[in-house]
Amino acid sequence: MVAKHWHAYAWVGHARPDDNARNDPSQPVPPLEIAHWLRKPARHIAETFDNTPEGAGSAIEWMRTGGAENEAADEVHFPLAERMTYVEDDVSRGADAVWGYYSETLRYVSRALVACPREGQPCPYGR
């Protein structure tokens, strides 16, 4: 699968959501499966980035900004710069890039760049 574009989703909460909430597409919380972000209403999309050099760069920067705003509790062991190497690789391949972690303030942070369309499925948002 190589994305034509990515839909970006962001969520920050007091704790990792329970599975009931994660299975409910109407909830803005991160789903159990990455592809299930695309079942959420369009109002939960933070941004959409085209798979062009400019769009990919903006998608990468969106992830970096979110990581900088919500520093990971284990930042010493897995610094943002190191996490970004994975994001850059994922985006360069047109794949998903997803984070779920606890921040220094003990909030659960989820950021996702979800590749779209998925194999055998059109973009659910009409792009």
Side-chain angles (χ1 to χ4, degrees):
M1 162 188 61
V2 174
K4 289 185 180 177
H5 57 270
W6 293 272
H7 296 293
Y9 302 88
W11 185 83
V12 178
H14 292 289
R16 182 182 168 275
D18 67 45
D19 288 353
N20 286 335
R22 295 180 77 189
N23 279 323
D24 182 350
S26 70
Q27 296 294 313
V29 303
L32 291 172
E33 296 182 35
I34 295 168
H36 291 178
W37 276 113
L38 298 175
R39 295 181 179 177
K40 306 250 181 215
R43 70 178 178 271
H44 296 308
I45 298 171
E47 301 262 359
T48 297
F49 303 101
D50 289 325
N51 191 352
T52 63
E54 181 180 321
S58 295
I60 290 166
E61 188 56 34
W62 182 83
M63 289 292 279
R64 184 184 328 278
T65 299
E69 290 172 353
N70 299 285
E71 193 168 306
D74 64 347
E75 191 72 22
V76 168
H77 302 292
F78 199 22
L80 178 59
E82 194 172 324
R83 285 183 281 146
M84 288 308 302
T85 62
Y86 292 97
V87 171
E88 291 164 2
D89 179 61
D90 292 339
V91 169
S92 74
R93 293 181 293 109
D96 302 318
V98 179
W99 289 343
Y101 62 91
Y102 282 95
S103 70
E104 280 194 327
T105 59
L106 302 180
R107 307 271 296 189
Y108 188 77
V109 178
S110 174
R111 282 184 91 77
L113 292 171
V114 181
C116 190
R118 306 304 265 195
E119 189 173 330
Q121 299 174 344
C123 175
Y125 307 110
R127 286 210 44 173

